[in-house]
Amino acid sequence: PEGVGKLHAARRIAHLFLGHCSELSSVSSGISTPIQELEGVLEVIAGDYNHDGHEVHPAKELIVNHIRSRRGLGSVIIIHHIELLPTPILSEISQVLRGKTDTLSYQMPEQLVEASCDGTVFVLTSKQWGTKSIFQHIQINGGLNGLRRESLVSSIRWEVDSHLDYWTKLASHTKTVAPFLPFEQEDLSSILQSRVQTLNRKYQGLHWNRLEVS
């Protein structure tokens, strides 16, 4: 599902692995913008990159070049909306996760550009894959409280892999699958109230005298 904290969690994971560094470049639409995060972390929004007219998929080229630029210092690659990446790229990432290879590469007219993925952590998020499994399990178990994590994760792995070709098995080779569940009504009300209170403090007297949630 969307709006359940995947982006925030992905960035927190990056902090855990590269917390000793200082900056992060968030990459969207091919433009690198500092967002006061961590050096060594690359964020890629898959839907922002189109393969048309390119010999190499721009997202893949970006990922390989980033890993190469780190020169073995380690990196975290956060890929949002992985369902929008071509299956061949996901297949190559799957082979790295599986341990069958430790490199990602792309072919240029005169050379093969390779990057060793040793010390690289991939964090993959999807706003579509896994959603069906989550809501099915919520319905079967009569709500969020009755969910069994092991069963849900197995279902999500199967659902993700079913979208890809037989040999890719991206979810099967992913070490950890973290389901993000939809918020219940009380949680949503609490979040909305907190956001409105923040806006009220920031803009009170500028755009309104008082803003509140009843």
Side-chain angles (χ1 to χ4, degrees):
E2 288 194 85
V4 290
K6 297 188 296 295
L7 172 59
H8 178 74
R11 290 177 176 172
R12 293 301 299 168
I13 291 171
H15 274 276
L16 290 174
F17 281 96
L18 296 172
H20 61 285
C21 299
S22 59
E23 291 183 3
L24 164 67
S25 286
S26 176
V27 180
S28 177
S29 302
I31 301 173
S32 187
T33 306
I35 57 171
Q36 299 180 344
E37 292 284 348
L38 299 172
E39 180 185 357
V41 182
L42 176 70
E43 283 192 57
V44 176
I45 302 175
D48 286 351
Y49 298 89
N50 194 311
H51 196 185
D52 294 346
H54 298 274
E55 291 186 14
V56 180
H57 194 287
K60 183 181 180 183
E61 183 176 1
L62 189 67
I63 291 167
V64 172
N65 289 345
H66 174 78
I67 296 173
R68 281 169 56 87
S69 72
R70 294 292 294 160
R71 300 181 182 276
L73 293 177
S75 57
V76 177
I77 309 296
I78 302 173
I79 306 177
H80 302 291
H81 308 164
I82 59 168
E83 67 273 8
L84 301 179
L85 279 181
T87 296
I89 296 179
L90 295 177
S91 182
E92 290 184 52
I93 293 174
S94 177
Q95 294 305 305
V96 171
L97 299 178
R98 183 182 178 185
K100 195 169 183 179
T101 181
D102 64 353
T103 62
L104 286 176
S105 63
Y106 62 86
Q107 183 68 53
M108 294 298 288
E110 298 181 357
Q111 66 173 331
L112 179 67
V113 181
E114 288 186 307
S116 171
C117 294
D118 288 344
T120 299
V121 175
F122 288 90
V123 181
L124 313 175
T125 76
S126 173
K127 63 179 181 180
Q128 295 178 10
W129 294 350
T131 300
K132 180 179 178 181
S133 295
I134 289 172
F135 283 104
Q136 281 183 341
H137 278 254
I138 290 174
Q139 185 176 17
I140 291 171
N141 291 278
L144 296 172
N145 293 331
L147 290 179
R148 293 175 54 230
R149 187 181 185 280
E150 297 81 2
S151 176
L152 176 57
V153 167
S154 295
S155 180
I156 290 173
R157 288 187 191 273
W158 182 90
E159 181 185 340
V160 172
D161 287 345
S162 70
H163 287 283
L164 304 167
D165 61 56
Y166 177 79
W167 298 105
T168 298
K169 297 193 180 300
L170 179 67
S172 296
H173 300 315
T174 299
K175 185 174 183 180
T176 302
V177 173
F180 282 75
L181 305 179
F183 292 112
E184 294 186 325
Q185 186 173 351
E186 290 182 3
D187 298 321
L188 289 172
S189 297
S190 177
I191 292 170
L192 178 59
Q193 192 168 29
S194 175
R195 294 286 177 86
V196 170
Q197 287 173 352
T198 300
L199 288 172
N200 182 49
R201 289 192 298 269
K202 186 174 182 180
Y203 296 110
Q204 190 171 10
L206 296 175
H207 300 298
W208 50 69
N209 292 326
R210 181 176 178 81
L211 183 68
E212 62 181 21
V213 176
S214 59

